[in-house]
Amino acid sequence: MLVDTGACERNAHVCHHRRSDNGCGDCKVRPISVCSVLSLVELEQLEGLSQHLTLDKGQTLFGQDEPASAVFNVIEGCLRLTRLLPDGRRQVMGFALPGDFLGLALQERHSVSAEALGQVKTCRFGREDFAAITEAKPHLLKSLHARVRYELTLAQDQMLLLGRRTAEEKVASFLLSLRDRFARIGHNSVTVELPMGRQDMADYLGLTIETVSRMLSRLDRAHSILLVPGGVRLLDAARLERLAAS
Amino acid sequence: MLVDTGACERNAHVCHHRRSDNGCGDCKVRPISVCSVLSLVELEQLEGLSQHLTLDKGQTLFGQDEPASAVFNVIEGCLRLTRLLPDGRRQVMGFALPGDFLGLALQERHSVSAEALGQVKTCRFGREDFAAITEAKPHLLKSLHARVRYELTLAQDQMLLLGRRTAEEKVASFLLSLRDRFARIGHNSVTVELPMGRQDMADYLGLTIETVSRMLSRLDRAHSILLVPGGVRLLDAARLERLAAS
DNA sequence: CGGGCCCTTTGCGTTGGATCAATGCGCGGC
DNA sequence: GCCGCGCATTGATCCAACGCAAAGGGCCCG
């Protein structure tokens, strides 16, 4: 559970050049992002204020307690959102996938750090710029509002999971929710990719790495899942659902 | 942790008569509620759409999975927001105090039940009515938005607490956060009132009633707190802070 | 293709909090 | 005042998950 506090990489690659090839118009995640409510004209305005930003595996998009100078749309890849206690205990607050919006809470300072779990592409907006846009566009505000409300219900689900579920239920529930999230962004498959390591799963579920590993092995032995490199194949989703729901 | 599913009381008292004595104009919680952003003229419009609703101890304002027909402002008293698993395990998602808004998530159905921990007074708005008001008043939407964003950060704090803190840290942290919440609504005192029972605290913190009791006794024995009927006197808040922060 | 690195898995002993079981205690009703 | 009820406390035991240690396996790099 203790993690090293090694210096983190911040040298993300910013595309300053005009994005003629991939503007907002043909953005892959537009239909599932907060931008989906904007018209083509509005998208063009937005485009001028945005920057593409690419991160490599392990790089930090922003760190806990840093001033929140920008917000982001995730276009590609997966990020880990973590909060660290002074003594090194860590809680993973969530994993951001394509279409997710980072900085919803719009606080002065980020309450979590966001780190890339693989190559990640994001769309960056300056905080001031973004505040101005939402001010001017009530339907964007409503879209953001709907998204925070959704995030709040997810957070409450997670509170129930952390407070009252057993290790096995936690792991089963995690695999299913990840499958559903991937399905919603078009990755429909019985094989669920796990872009995060065991330690990340453990810190997300309030467990230790050993317990996560043991529960995965147990589910594997029971033929509920099949452990494959980089992911998990769900063999008996119904059984997992029963475990997750209780 | 198992709770009986006895029939819950719903016969809340509704004031249908015109509230000449206590309109929104002199509402006690207005400065700290989402209504604080409305002008006096707007408040009068709002008043026509609202109903006062009084609950006695143990009565249910709304139940989990019921269609969400209304939203509420808490005026007086304290409510417990709980989510129940099919097998009876319970998670208390939070406690609502005066000034709090119930139904922020604006879902089709309530994801929690809300039960009065003592006498409670609320201000009720029909769902449709309320949606129409927020549609018409962007500053109210912004106020709600700010509130959900705040709730989201609270939920994340709670996730860290549930996932990574020890029993003693959980209890210390709970007492401090309750003190702070009471302070914000004017109840400034070293003695923190505990309107909820031990079981409620346990279900909020992901513990059992016995563990909560033991931790309170331990803090008492260490002279960090003093257990008094109906509450707790914080004797060494600094020590509690150290425990809570780690 | 071999060595080193890092992550994962597994075994085994430990433990924090759960569970079980009394007992205590405040409060309302009679 | 005394009884009964619902909650809270305390003690004794248990067990799910933790912590440690060692072994396994994939992958990169020379």
Side-chain angles (χ1 to χ4, degrees):
Chain A
M1 201 180 343
L2 287 167
V3 289
D4 67 348
T5 36
C8 43
E9 310 294 314
R10 299 293 163 95
N11 40 350
H13 178 247
V14 183
C15 302
H16 288 291
H17 58 79
R18 195 84 185 84
R19 282 172 284 120
S20 56
D21 50 339
N22 52 356
C24 292
D26 52 61
C27 172
K28 276 180 295 182
V29 299
R30 183 158 63 91
I32 55 168
S33 79
V34 289
C35 306
S36 62
V37 297
L38 298 175
S39 69
L40 285 170
V41 179
E42 289 170 325
L43 279 176
E44 269 186 42
Q45 298 168 22
L46 201 66
E47 206 169 328
L49 297 169
S50 76
Q51 280 180 319
H52 270 200
L53 206 103
T54 302
L55 297 172
D56 288 327
K57 180 170 175 164
Q59 288 188 314
T60 300
L61 185 57
F62 50 80
Q64 183 175 359
D65 300 326
E66 277 180 13
S69 60
V71 297
F72 305 86
N73 255 319
V74 180
I75 296 172
E76 203 182 297
C78 180
L79 297 111
R80 182 216 303 142
L81 307 176
T82 54
R83 202 183 268 196
L84 213 54
L85 285 174
D87 63 3
R89 282 178 290 177
R90 198 175 75 153
Q91 178 71 31
V92 171
M93 309 305 301
F95 300 100
L97 294 183
D100 286 340
F101 187 89
L102 299 177
L104 266 180
L106 266 187
Q107 303 152 116
E108 282 298 309
R109 289 169 177 278
H110 291 291
S111 62
V112 296
S113 351
E115 289 135 342
L117 292 173
Q119 215 202 22
V120 164
K121 289 186 180 152
T122 66
C123 190
R124 188 197 122 105
F125 302 93
R127 201 172 184 272
E128 320 291 326
D129 288 347
F130 193 77
I133 306 168
T134 56
E135 192 70 33
K137 307 201 181 304
H139 53 310
L140 180 58
L141 178 58
K142 272 159 58 183
S143 172
L144 284 165
H145 186 55
R147 182 122 347 193
V148 199
R149 287 191 281 119
Y150 180 66
E151 290 287 329
L152 185 59
T153 67
L154 288 187
Q156 291 186 342
D157 291 347
Q158 191 67 2
M159 282 165 58
L160 176 58
L161 179 141
L162 290 169
R164 287 297 177 223
R165 306 201 96 113
T166 64
E168 192 175 30
E169 289 170 354
K170 285 177 177 182
V171 171
S173 169
F174 173 71
L175 295 177
L176 289 171
S177 75
L178 207 57
R179 176 198 60 174
D180 294 344
R181 289 187 69 195
F182 276 125
R184 296 219 296 133
I185 60 173
H187 294 236
N188 236 312
S189 166
V190 280
T191 302
V192 179
E193 187 198 347
L194 294 174
M196 70 294 292
R198 297 289 187 265
Q199 184 65 62
D200 295 331
M201 293 168 56
D203 288 342
Y204 181 60
L205 300 172
L207 299 171
T208 59
I209 184 172
E210 295 96 332
T211 301
V212 169
S213 184
R214 275 187 263 266
M215 292 304 135
L216 286 172
S217 298
R218 183 195 292 187
L219 292 172
D220 183 296
R221 247 176 286 120
H223 305 293
S224 299
I225 65 172
L226 181 67
L227 286 168
V228 296
V232 160
R233 178 172 288 253
L234 306 188
L235 300 179
D236 191 346
R239 180 146 37 160
L240 293 177
E241 306 265 15
R242 237 172 301 127
L243 267 176
S246 281
Chain B
M1 197 176 353
L2 287 168
V3 288
D4 66 348
T5 37
C8 43
E9 312 292 314
R10 296 294 162 94
N11 41 350
H13 179 246
V14 183
C15 302
H16 287 291
H17 58 78
R18 194 86 186 84
R19 283 172 284 117
S20 56
D21 50 339
N22 52 355
C24 291
D26 52 60
C27 173
K28 276 181 295 182
V29 298
R30 184 158 62 93
I32 54 169
S33 79
V34 289
C35 305
S36 63
V37 295
L38 298 175
S39 68
L40 284 170
V41 179
E42 289 170 326
L43 281 176
E44 269 185 43
Q45 298 168 24
L46 201 66
E47 207 169 327
L49 298 169
S50 76
Q51 279 180 320
H52 269 200
L53 207 103
T54 303
L55 298 172
D56 288 327
K57 180 169 176 166
Q59 287 188 314
T60 300
L61 185 58
F62 50 79
Q64 183 175 359
D65 300 326
E66 277 179 14
S69 60
V71 298
F72 304 86
N73 255 319
V74 180
I75 297 173
E76 202 182 297
C78 180
L79 297 112
R80 181 216 302 142
L81 307 175
T82 55
R83 202 184 267 197
L84 214 54
L85 285 173
D87 63 2
R89 283 178 289 176
R90 198 176 75 154
Q91 178 72 32
V92 171
M93 310 305 301
F95 299 99
L97 294 183
D100 285 341
F101 188 89
L102 299 177
L104 266 179
L106 265 186
Q107 302 153 115
E108 281 300 308
R109 289 171 176 274
H110 291 290
S111 62
V112 296
S113 355
E115 289 134 343
L117 292 173
Q119 216 204 20
V120 165
K121 290 186 178 151
T122 67
C123 189
R124 189 198 122 105
F125 302 93
R127 201 170 184 273
E128 320 291 327
D129 288 347
F130 194 76
I133 307 169
T134 55
E135 192 70 33
K137 307 203 180 305
H139 54 308
L140 180 58
L141 177 58
K142 273 159 58 184
S143 172
L144 284 165
H145 187 54
R147 177 107 13 174
V148 199
R149 287 191 279 118
Y150 179 65
E151 290 288 328
L152 185 58
T153 66
L154 289 186
Q156 290 186 343
D157 290 349
Q158 192 67 1
M159 284 166 58
L160 176 59
L161 179 140
L162 289 169
R164 286 298 178 221
R165 307 200 95 113
T166 65
E168 192 176 30
E169 289 169 354
K170 285 176 176 181
V171 171
S173 169
F174 173 69
L175 296 177
L176 289 171
S177 75
L178 207 56
R179 178 198 57 175
D180 293 345
R181 289 188 69 195
F182 276 125
R184 294 219 298 133
I185 59 173
H187 295 234
N188 236 311
S189 166
V190 280
T191 302
V192 179
E193 187 198 346
L194 294 174
M196 71 292 293
R198 297 289 188 265
Q199 185 64 63
D200 295 331
M201 293 168 58
D203 287 344
Y204 182 60
L205 300 172
L207 299 171
T208 57
I209 185 171
E210 295 95 332
T211 301
V212 169
S213 185
R214 273 188 259 271
M215 291 304 135
L216 286 172
S217 298
R218 183 195 290 187
L219 291 173
D220 183 296
R221 246 177 287 117
H223 304 293
S224 299
I225 65 171
L226 180 67
L227 286 168
V228 296
V232 158
R233 178 172 288 253
L234 306 188
L235 300 179
D236 191 345
R239 180 145 38 156
L240 293 176
E241 306 266 14
R242 239 172 298 127
L243 267 175
S246 281

